[in-house]
Amino acid sequence: SEAPPPPPPLERLRLFCTRRPAPVWAVVLCRGGHFAAAVYTLPSSAASEESLKPLAHRCFHRYVTRRKAGGRQSVADASKSIKSAGSSIRRHNEAMLAKEVRDLISSWLPTHLAQAALIWVHAPGPANTALLFGGQGPLRKADPRVRGVPFTTQRPTLGETSRVVLQLSRTELLEPQEAAELQRAPQAEDAPRRAALEREAEAAASAAARQLGEERRVAAEAEAEAELARAEAEAADLPSELHEAAEAGDAGRVQVLLEGGADPALRHVRYGFRVPYDVAKTREVRNAFRKARAELPERWDWAAAHVPQGLTEQEEADREERERAKAREKKKKAEKARKERRKQEEAERAAAAALLVEATAGADLAALSASIEKAQGVGCDGAELERARERLAALQFEATDPAAIARREREKRAAAAEARLNRLTGGAP
């Protein structure tokens, strides 16, 4: 027997509107860092957005879009490296938004979404699609209840979910011409939107490839670090006696170890992968390596051991003799310089002493004070300095004592009177 034909559209619409109990629909909107989800029981009659009450609802918003340049941060990261403070905040917000959305929908799966007859989803762009349907996304595109919202939505809010439910649950009867015009208009309007979605998809693919490359690089670095750690562990077991003796400055032990077969070109991890010669801190230890090179020139790779030209006993003795001769010459020059300096100092003291004696014999207060200061600077005899200080004290007293000042004035007037008398009498001054 053949299956009965499906009922006409109007009959199907009547059956849908008279279903009891009324079906439950879920609406999920995600775009531009805004997220809104709500579960509704379809109204039995015409209702407004304000009167439609959800069974459950939740809204999130995170700052994930670049305000001036536009687009999400993950899309911008696919084309160039951005290290600004704002980009770090947006990356963090994208991760937090993904966690909040996935945790919410996962908690609704066994309850509200389990009783939903249809789940209407509007998540344009690869980032939003991956958030809901990706590897860690809680929804599956294979679920027959998941449907796409067939018209353009506004910013995801609770009110917008109500509007979407009401528009999806209503039927509008159009004439054929009106229906054709209505179908052509969205296609023209959606062309820029499809181009933008294609660009976002390409950017998301590039970001995924870049992330894969970064993960491979990190894995390669981790493997290289592990290999280095294994190499260091193996190198730590290598002999280190020659390094220890060189660092301790024990030239005798270094010589014994080299004669006993210790490899001077061996590098050790505990010493920064340096050879023993580079660890040596004293000339005696370095000379022990050079002597070993002179005695055993073909035994080791002395160039790899960083040991310079070999040093024989005679060469060492000659060099020490040259150094002693150089030290003696240096000492002789220093002694000569000291003698010349002492001679110059003695001449300066003699000149200062003569000037001090001359100033002490006079009555010039300023000259005597300057002579005393200079004599003190060059270290003149203490007795001469003492006499000069006494003379300076006497001159300073005479310059301030009223009786001495009066006596000097009388002497000046007497000398002046005698000079006038001599001029009047024609006598000698």
Side-chain angles (χ1 to χ4, degrees), residues 96-148:
M96 293 302 298
L97 178 64
K99 182 178 184 304
E100 291 170 347
V101 170
R102 288 169 178 167
D103 290 348
L104 173 67
I105 296 182
S106 297
S107 66
W108 281 10
L109 283 175
T111 56
H112 301 300
L113 296 183
Q115 61 180 338
L118 291 177
I119 302 174
W120 297 95
V121 178
H122 183 70
N128 297 317
T129 303
L131 175 62
L132 298 176
F133 298 100
Q136 299 179 355
L139 299 179
R140 294 292 177 265
K141 291 185 177 181
D143 189 342
R145 301 176 301 163
V146 175
R147 308 287 177 87

Side-chain angles (χ1 to χ4, degrees), residues 22-27 37-42 52-58 108 111-113 115-117 158 161-162 165:
V24 175
W25 282 1
V27 179
V39 180
Y40 295 92
T41 299
L42 292 188
L52 189 61
K53 303 298 182 182
L55 299 177
H57 68 89
R58 193 68 183 274
W108 281 10
T111 56
H112 301 300
L113 296 183
Q115 61 180 338
L158 178 61
T161 60
S162 300
V165 167

Side-chain angles (χ1 to χ4, degrees), residues 60-80:
F60 300 121
H61 171 61
R62 291 280 183 173
Y63 166 54
V64 299
T65 58
R66 303 160 72 218
R67 288 294 182 255
K68 294 183 179 179
R72 295 184 68 135
Q73 184 62 44
S74 58
V75 177
D77 290 338
S79 58
K80 56 183 176 180

Side-chain angles (χ1 to χ4, degrees), residues 191-209:
R193 180 170 170 271
R194 285 197 302 270
L197 292 178
E198 291 176 358
R199 288 194 298 270
E200 287 190 9
E202 293 176 359
S206 177

Side-chain angles (χ1 to χ4, degrees), residues 183-197:
Q183 289 178 352
R184 286 196 297 269
Q187 292 178 0
E189 294 176 358
D190 288 347
R193 180 170 170 271
R194 285 197 302 270
L197 292 178

